[in-house]
Amino acid sequence: MRCWPTRQPALFPLDRSIRDEVLVLCLFSSKGGVGCSVSAASLALLSARSAPTLLVDLRGDIDAILGLPTSTEGLSDWFSLDEPSPDVLHRLEVAVNPGLSLLPRGSCRSPARPERYRLLSRLLSGDGRRVVVDVGTHSVPAVALIADASASILVTRACFLALDAARRGPIADGVLLIEEPGRVLRPSDVSAAVGAGIAVQLRWHRDVARAVDAGLLSAKLPKALQSLEALL
């Protein structure tokens, strides 16, 4: 079986709680299709049950995952402004339910300058609500958000290619491991490869795919996703 040298762990292991403090929690992945956006949306839905929560979509899939109309305006438009302001961000928010708002990605394709991510990071830290950020596949500019977050979570499967890519990215505070049948790599292999402990293990379940495909994730969160509450 292929393996890697053990990666040095993050300086600050995942030992934070957002029950009694404002938190910016960033979820990111090393490659697409591992379940990062569904995990971020589900975590935000769980968070909103106990505190006002803002879900930030840097990937562009969250509105579809939650069964909402596709947003034509969003963060990408804010990134493109000559003088972006917090007021504009608030106007771009979409209500998901009484406790949860979504800041969608939008459809503007102009690349954002790195300093815009740093500004966004500062604004989210001072928002006053719990904030869950779906970074998606991490990019160099978005690393500023991951670095400044109260906690960062790598979402991955026990897949050699995904873990090999993750070793070239930022070190997370913890790992959200999506378990699939037939995988050879163990949780301990995943942790050693990426240099972070396993924060949550989620077993793949068809009910999750069915809820997303039907646009019903926000209406009734599948039981298979309830264990994400451990991050809260």
Side-chain angles (χ1 to χ4, degrees):
M1 182 176 69
R2 295 185 290 184
C3 61
W4 310 264
T6 299
R7 193 180 192 191
Q8 292 300 309
L11 294 177
F12 304 101
L14 185 65
D15 60 356
R16 308 177 180 94
S17 169
I18 65 172
R19 293 191 186 278
D20 302 312
E21 64 180 273
V22 173
L23 173 88
V24 177
L25 183 60
C26 280
L27 276 65
F28 70 98
S29 61
S30 61
K31 64 189 295 291
V34 300
C36 185
S37 296
V38 171
S39 298
S42 302
L43 180 61
L45 289 166
L46 288 167
S47 174
R49 294 176 179 177
S50 57
T53 300
L54 175 64
L55 174 57
V56 180
D57 182 10
L58 291 176
R59 175 70 178 174
D61 295 329
I62 295 290
D63 42 10
I65 287 170
L66 293 176
L68 300 173
T70 301
S71 302
T72 57
E73 293 184 321
L75 262 175
S76 57
D77 302 275
W78 182 81
F79 281 141
S80 68
L81 295 175
D82 291 332
E83 296 183 5
S85 70
D87 291 339
V88 175
L89 274 185
H90 289 306
R91 290 199 297 270
L92 291 170
E93 291 182 16
V94 176
V96 177
N97 62 39
L100 178 61
S101 295
L102 168 66
L103 188 53
R105 168 69 185 173
S107 58
C108 179
R109 297 304 175 191
S110 300
R113 296 191 292 272
E115 60 267 24
R116 295 295 164 82
Y117 284 94
R118 291 191 288 270
L119 174 58
L120 177 63
S121 180
R122 292 196 298 271
L123 293 175
L124 295 179
S125 296
D127 183 89
R129 292 170 288 183
R130 293 177 180 174
V131 181
V132 177
V133 184
D134 175 21
V135 178
T137 306
H138 67 80
S139 61
V140 173
V143 168
L145 276 171
I146 297 170
D148 292 344
S150 306
S152 60
I153 301 295
L154 170 67
V155 183
T156 190
R157 305 188 183 212
C159 162
F160 181 88
L161 294 178
L163 296 175
D164 196 48
R167 288 175 59 82
R168 298 189 292 274
I171 297 179
D173 292 309
V175 177
L176 196 172
L177 178 60
I178 310 294
E179 294 184 314
E180 298 174 297
R183 290 291 185 184
V184 175
L185 295 172
R186 301 162 298 180
S188 58
D189 298 321
V190 173
S191 183
V194 302
I198 306 297
V200 177
Q201 292 178 231
L202 283 183
R203 292 187 179 275
W204 179 91
H205 198 284
R206 62 186 181 185
D207 286 351
V208 177
R210 287 174 174 174
V212 173
D213 289 347
L216 297 175
L217 191 71
S218 60
K220 187 176 182 180
L221 199 66
K223 290 182 180 179
L225 296 170
Q226 298 292 332
S227 57
L228 283 171
E229 200 162 14
L231 294 173
L232 305 179

